[in-house]
Amino acid sequence: MLTPGAVGGSSNSDPFPSGLRVLVVDDDPTCLMILERMLKTCLYRVTKCNRAEIALTLLRKNKNGFDIVISDVHMPDMNGFKLLEHVGLEMDLPVIMMSADDSKSVVLKGVTHGAVDYLIKPVRIEALKNIWQHVVRKKQNVSEHSGSVEETGGDRQQQQQRDDDDDGGGDNNSSSGNNEGNLRKRKEEEQGDDKEDTSSLKKPRVVWSVELHQQFVAAVNHLGVDKAVPKKILEMMNVQGLTRENVASHLQKYRIYLKRLGGVSQGNMNHSFMTGQDPSYGPLNGFDLQGLATAGQLQAQSLAQLQAVGLGQSSSPLIKPGITSVDQRSFKQLASRFGDGHGPMMMNGGGGNKQTSLLHGVPTGHMRLQQQQMAGMRVAGPSMQQQQQQSMLSRRSVPETRSSRVLPAATHSAFNNSFPLASAPGMMSVSDTKGVNEFCNPSYDILNNFPQQQHHNNNNSVNEWDVRNVGMVFNSHQDNTTSAAFSTSEAYSSSSTHKRKREAELVVEHGQNQQQPQSRSVNPMNQIYMNDGGSVRMKTETVTCPPQATTMFHEQYSNQDDLLSDLLKQEGLLDTEFDFEGYSFDNILV
Amino acid sequence: MQRQVALIKQSLFDQGYLDEQFIELEELQDDANPNFVEEVATLYFKDSARLISNIEQALERGSFDFNRLDNYMHQFKGSSTSIGASKVKTECTMFREYCRVGNAEGCLRTFKQLKKEHATLRKKLEQYFQASK
C-alpha cells in the first residue's frame, strides 16, 4: 500500500499513505528509536516524543499537523489512556496504543477508551505498515457521519455535500497530508456549523440506530463478548460507512454497560421492554439504562434542541440541565409499558412543568412526588420544556435515587421534555450509574426513526435529535414537546449531554414513531443499568435522569456514545416494574 | 571476518540471547542507516543501565515497593523486548511475577540473574559489532 518515493503528490498514483504524519509517543528511548526507524521505512513522516505532555502540546499547536498518533500505555508523566482521551476529544485523531503488556484487560481498556488499534510490543513493521487504514477510515467516517447527520437536519445536508465534495476531490489530491488536512478542515467546518461548539467533539458521530445496535450486539455475541474486537465486529456487521473507531467507542460503552449489568440478567429486561423491539436489544436495554442516565444529562441539551427542532421552537435553552434524555426514555418506556394510550398521556403530563421541578434536585422521595404529579399531568408542549429542564436538574441532584426516581409518572410526562418525568423512573436511576451512558445505545430502540441522529452526539446535531427523541418517547404528539424538554436536559451535563442528547433524540424520535416498542426496549435497559450500577436501581423504574450525567460519563467518550448510553439507561429504567420506592407504575400512569 | 560475524550471531541466537526481534532490527538497517542496530543497542544499554541502577537503589532501600519495582521492570522489559534480548526479557518477566506476589527474596534472586544476563549480552553484542566493522 505504500507508494514508495511518491511522497506528496504524484501524477500517476496516489502517494498515500506515504507522508502520513505520525506522532509517536513513548518514554522508552530504545522503542522510540526503533519505531521511528520503522515508520520512516514505511515512508511516513515521523515525529518522536518521549513525554505525553509534550505530545499534547505539539498536537494542540498544530491541530492539523498530524494524521495519527501512536502512544505507549505506560508512561511516567501521563497515562497513555489519558492521552488517548485527550487526543480523541480535542483533536479527533486516530490513536493507536501500544504496550509490552498484552493482558486482555489492558487491551480492552484500549478499546473502550476508543483506541483505533492496540499493538503489542515488540512492534513489527508489518503492523505499522497498515496504520494508514485508521486514518482513512476515520475520515470516511467523518464524511459519512456528516452525511447522515445532515440527512436528518436540513443544514446538515449542505455540510454533507460539502464534505462529500471535498472528500472526493481531496482524495485525489497530491499528498495524503493534504487530503487529510482537507478532510479535517472540512470536518471542522462542518462541525463549526453545527449548533454547538464542537471543538471538542470533532469526532464524527455515528448514529447507532436500533438496527445497527442490534447488529452490533449480534456480532459481539457471536464473537463472544470477551473476544469481540472492533475490527471483527466491524467485519461482521458489514455496515457501510461504519468505522472501526465507531465500533470501538460503541463497544467501549457496551462493555461498560455490560459490566454494570453485572449479574443482572439482561435477558429479562429485554423481554419486558422490548415489545416491538428486536430481541437482541436485550443487552442494550441494560445499556440503555446507563445511557439513559447519562443520556439524561445530555438529553437536557439535546432535548432542548430537539424541541427546538421538532417544535420549531428554540428549545435549546429549554432543556438544560438535568434530566434530559434519561427522563425521556424512561418515560417512553413507561409509556410503552402502559400502552400507547397511557404513554402519551403520561408523558406529556401537561404538568410537565411541575414534573420537572419535581425531578429537579429531588432525591428519590422527591421524585416520587414528581412522578405522581407527572402522572397526572400531561405534559404540555411548552411546559414540558420547563419540565425537562427541571427534571434535568432534579435528575442531577438525585443521582442517588435510584429506582425510586423512576417513577411511573415517567410514563406520561417522562417523556416530555422536561425530564420531570422524574416519573420516568427509569431515567433517574439511570443517571446514577455512571459510565453506563457511554454505551447508551438507547437510541436504538427509539431511534428507529431517525437513524442519523444517534450518534451524533454533537450538540449540534442534537437539536434535531432531541426533538425527535422526545417525540418518540411519547408516541403521542406530545412527544414533540417532550422531546424538546429532553434536549434541555441534555444541557445537563456537558459530557453526558452529548450522549444524552443523542439519546434523547433517539428517544424522541423513537417515541414519535413507535412509542411502544421503543419504550419497552428502553425499560429493560434501565433495569439493567440500575442494578448493575448499583446506584441505579431500577427495576423497571423509569429512567430517572441520571443525575450526574457527567459522572456517568466518566469516559471521555465522545458524546455520541454517551447519549446513547444515556438513553439506554433511561430506557432501562423505565421498565415497567419500577421498582423504585413505593412507586408503582400504575400510580404514575394515572 | 564475515564468517566470524556470522558465527557469533548464530551462537547468540542458538543460545537464546537474541530472538527474531533482533532480525527485524537488522532488516531496518540499510545503506542509509548502516549502523542502525548498533545505535539501538547502544541506546538500549545506556537506558537499561539507568533502569538497573534505579532498581538496585530501590532494592537496597529494603522497603520493597513492589509497585514501583514492577514499573521499572515493565520499562525494562519493554525495551529488552524491542531489541530482542530474549534472556533478559525472561528474567524481567520472572521478576515482575515475584513483584506481583510480593516475594522479595524471589525479586532479589531474579534481579541478580537479570544483571548477569544483561552483562553477558552486552559483551557478546560488543564483540559482534566489533567483528562486523
Side-chain angles (χ1 to χ4, degrees):
Chain A
M1 68 194 101
L2 294 179
T3 315
V7 182
S10 74
S11 49
N12 52 344
S13 57
D14 187 353
F16 185 81
S18 302
L20 194 73
R21 295 158 305 165
V22 185
L23 175 65
V24 57
V25 190
D26 194 336
D27 63 315
D28 182 339
T30 311
C31 290
L32 209 54
M33 183 182 223
I34 296 174
L35 282 168
E36 184 193 34
R37 182 89 282 277
M38 285 182 171
L39 290 165
K40 283 194 169 151
T41 303
C42 295
L43 300 180
Y44 296 151
R45 271 156 47 189
V46 189
T47 305
K48 281 191 302 191
C49 201
N50 65 349
R51 281 263 180 281
E53 296 289 356
I54 299 178
L56 266 182
T57 308
L58 266 178
L59 288 166
R60 284 172 183 148
K61 271 209 311 226
N62 315 298
K63 284 261 163 141
N64 290 333
F66 297 98
D67 300 310
I68 190 166
V69 178
I70 302 181
S71 170
D72 188 41
V73 167
H74 291 90
M75 288 189 290
D77 64 334
M78 186 194 287
N79 186 308
F81 294 116
K82 248 184 138 3
L83 175 65
L84 166 59
E85 289 179 12
H86 280 297
V87 174
L89 283 173
E90 298 177 31
M91 294 109 203
D92 195 21
L93 288 176
V95 180
I96 293 178
M97 300 304 294
M98 7 162 235
S99 178
D101 193 345
D102 63 350
S103 61
K104 200 159 69 169
S105 58
V106 186
V107 177
L108 179 62
K109 208 170 167 195
V111 170
T112 53
H113 278 73
V116 297
D117 208 345
Y118 190 102
L119 305 176
I120 309 287
K121 289 182 178 177
V123 178
R124 298 174 67 96
I125 194 169
E126 288 76 29
L128 295 176
K129 278 192 177 143
N130 281 323
I131 62 175
W132 60 270
Q133 64 176 290
H134 302 297
V135 179
V136 173
R137 193 177 291 120
K138 204 168 187 30
K139 286 193 201 167
Q140 263 185 7
N141 187 40
V142 176
S143 56
E144 289 254 357
H145 183 67
S146 59
S148 63
V149 171
E150 290 169 3
E151 281 164 20
T152 34
D155 9 355
R156 290 218 196 245
Q157 283 178 356
Q158 292 175 11
Q159 289 179 1
Q160 179 183 14
Q161 283 169 11
R162 259 195 323 188
D163 262 13
D164 292 344
D165 291 343
D166 291 328
D167 288 348
D171 288 341
N172 298 333
N173 284 351
S174 50
S175 66
S176 53
N178 288 346
N179 294 344
E180 289 159 10
N182 290 343
L183 283 173
R184 192 167 299 117
K185 213 164 25 152
R186 195 138 303 134
K187 209 178 3 160
E188 289 171 12
E189 284 174 9
E190 132 197 347
Q191 287 179 348
D193 291 350
D194 285 343
K195 288 144 191 149
E196 301 190 5
D197 170 47
T198 53
S199 56
S200 64
L201 309 172
K202 293 233 221 112
K203 290 189 187 188
R205 295 226 182 266
V206 165
V207 179
W208 282 90
S209 65
V210 177
E211 296 96 333
L212 199 61
H213 179 74
Q214 286 169 5
Q215 271 182 287
F216 168 85
V217 172
V220 169
N221 290 338
H222 183 85
L223 294 165
V225 174
D226 286 347
K227 299 203 196 46
V229 283
K231 181 168 176 192
K232 294 212 177 106
I233 297 172
L234 185 67
E235 284 166 7
M236 284 190 81
M237 286 176 72
N238 196 23
V239 171
Q240 266 289 338
L242 191 65
T243 71
R244 186 180 173 170
E245 180 160 314
N246 299 139
V247 175
S249 61
H250 195 70
L251 179 67
Q252 177 178 354
K253 294 204 185 133
Y254 187 59
R255 288 197 204 259
I256 292 168
Y257 166 79
L258 291 179
K259 204 158 49 135
R260 280 180 193 284
L261 293 179
V264 179
S265 62
Q266 299 174 7
N268 297 343
M269 309 247 292
N270 291 339
H271 293 305
S272 53
F273 281 161
M274 320 240 311
T275 38
Q277 295 298 327
D278 184 358
S280 63
Y281 227 156
L284 250 197
N285 293 333
F287 213 45
D288 287 337
L289 293 182
Q290 290 184 351
L292 287 177
T294 21
Q297 296 183 358
L298 288 180
Q299 293 210 348
Q301 290 181 7
S302 48
L303 284 177
Q305 291 183 353
L306 285 175
Q307 286 181 342
V309 175
L311 304 178
Q313 315 161 11
S314 53
S315 50
S316 39
L318 286 182
I319 303 206
K320 283 269 197 157
I323 320 186
T324 56
S325 57
V326 169
D327 293 335
Q328 288 182 350
R329 284 228 276 219
S330 51
F331 285 128
K332 259 205 341 190
Q333 289 183 346
L334 291 176
S336 61
R337 280 178 102 70
F338 288 78
D340 293 352
H342 294 295
M345 305 201 326
M346 310 236 287
M347 303 284 244
N348 292 318
N353 294 325
K354 293 197 201 164
Q355 296 174 353
T356 37
S357 51
L358 286 178
L359 289 181
H360 194 50
V362 179
T364 30
H366 194 77
M367 297 253 321
R368 293 205 239 166
L369 283 181
Q370 290 183 351
Q371 294 178 351
Q372 290 174 351
Q373 290 182 12
M374 305 232 321
M377 320 208 291
R378 287 301 160 104
V379 178
S383 59
M384 296 212 328
Q385 291 181 351
Q386 293 178 3
Q387 291 176 357
Q388 287 183 354
Q389 293 179 348
Q390 297 186 349
S391 52
M392 302 213 304
L393 292 174
S394 54
R395 285 232 286 218
R396 262 218 251 186
S397 52
V398 195
E400 307 304 312
T401 42
R402 307 210 221 198
S403 40
S404 52
R405 287 212 278 187
V406 177
L407 28 128
T411 45
H412 53 283
S413 52
F415 207 61
N416 297 318
N417 313 300
S418 51
F419 265 0
L421 294 183
S423 47
M427 309 226 299
M428 296 298 284
S429 35
V430 169
S431 52
D432 287 327
T433 29
K434 311 178 227 209
V436 177
N437 301 331
E438 303 286 346
F439 197 71
C440 359
N441 284 308
S443 51
Y444 286 133
D445 46 13
I446 339 186
L447 301 178
N448 285 326
N449 300 313
F450 68 94
Q452 68 278 339
Q453 299 229 344
Q454 298 168 349
H455 275 274
H456 205 69
N457 49 83
N458 291 334
N459 291 329
N460 302 336
S461 50
V462 171
N463 293 335
E464 288 162 11
W465 277 356
D466 299 344
V467 175
R468 264 202 287 204
N469 289 331
V470 175
M472 307 229 317
V473 173
F474 297 131
N475 290 323
S476 58
H477 54 288
Q478 297 177 339
D479 294 343
N480 286 333
T481 46
T482 6
S483 47
F486 268 145
S487 27
T488 43
S489 53
E490 287 200 340
Y492 190 120
S493 59
S494 53
S495 54
S496 44
T497 16
H498 285 300
K499 270 221 282 219
R500 301 281 165 83
K501 287 205 287 196
R502 279 210 294 197
E503 293 179 350
E505 293 182 359
L506 292 177
V507 172
V508 175
E509 273 213 351
H510 199 67
Q512 290 173 353
N513 300 324
Q514 335 180 336
Q515 309 170 331
Q516 297 178 4
Q518 294 171 356
S519 11
R520 272 204 284 212
S521 52
V522 169
N523 288 331
M525 299 212 274
N526 290 335
Q527 286 184 341
I528 298 179
Y529 178 81
M530 307 273 276
N531 292 326
D532 202 289
S535 55
V536 174
R537 229 196 3 126
M538 14 189 276
K539 272 217 253 176
T540 42
E541 306 176 24
T542 50
V543 175
T544 47
C545 330
Q548 291 306 328
T550 42
T551 32
M552 300 234 269
F553 262 96
H554 66 87
E555 300 283 343
Q556 75 279 251
Y557 252 47
S558 40
N559 307 321
Q560 37 187 317
D561 293 334
D562 294 344
L563 281 179
L564 281 180
S565 40
D566 288 335
L567 284 177
L568 289 172
K569 289 199 231 168
Q570 291 181 351
E571 307 243 324
L573 290 176
L574 290 179
D575 204 350
T576 49
E577 298 178 1
F578 290 146
D579 217 6
F580 73 122
E581 309 147 356
Y583 265 100
S584 58
F585 194 78
D586 295 342
N587 294 339
I588 298 183
L589 285 182
V590 178
Chain B
M1 230 4 180
Q2 281 288 15
R3 183 126 178 86
Q4 189 164 6
V5 170
L7 282 174
I8 296 179
K9 185 160 130 185
Q10 195 56 44
S11 93
L12 281 170
F13 279 99
D14 289 345
Q15 291 174 29
Y17 285 102
L18 293 176
D19 58 29
E20 51 282 348
Q21 183 62 18
F22 192 80
I23 298 178
E24 290 272 327
L25 296 187
E26 291 200 309
E27 282 175 359
L28 290 171
Q29 191 161 279
D30 55 20
D31 292 339
N33 304 273
N35 301 314
F36 175 68
V37 186
E38 189 177 355
E39 284 165 12
V40 173
T42 307
L43 186 55
Y44 166 72
F45 283 111
K46 188 169 96 169
D47 193 51
S48 54
R50 176 184 64 85
L51 279 172
I52 285 180
S53 137
N54 283 345
I55 297 175
E56 206 136 41
Q57 284 173 27
L59 287 173
E60 273 165 20
R61 270 202 289 275
S63 52
F64 283 98
D65 179 350
F66 289 113
N67 259 342
R68 189 204 219 119
L69 288 172
D70 185 71
N71 269 337
Y72 284 138
M73 199 47 74
H74 178 87
Q75 289 180 49
F76 203 140
K77 181 177 171 194
S79 36
S80 303
T81 308
S82 295
I83 74 151
S86 183
K87 289 197 174 185
V88 175
K89 183 173 83 170
T90 304
E91 297 299 329
C92 289
T93 306
M94 249 198 319
F95 186 98
R96 293 189 75 198
E97 186 53 32
Y98 282 123
C99 280
R100 194 179 67 80
V101 300
N103 184 338
E105 173 57 36
C107 284
L108 285 169
R109 249 185 306 123
T110 308
F111 186 60
K112 257 213 204 95
Q113 186 64 20
L114 187 154
K115 278 193 289 184
K116 201 171 103 187
E117 295 293 349
H118 184 257
T120 306
L121 179 66
R122 181 184 213 142
K123 216 162 58 178
K124 287 189 182 279
L125 278 177
E126 276 171 8
Q127 278 175 7
Y128 173 68
F129 290 127
Q130 201 55 35
S132 306
K133 291 219 206 298

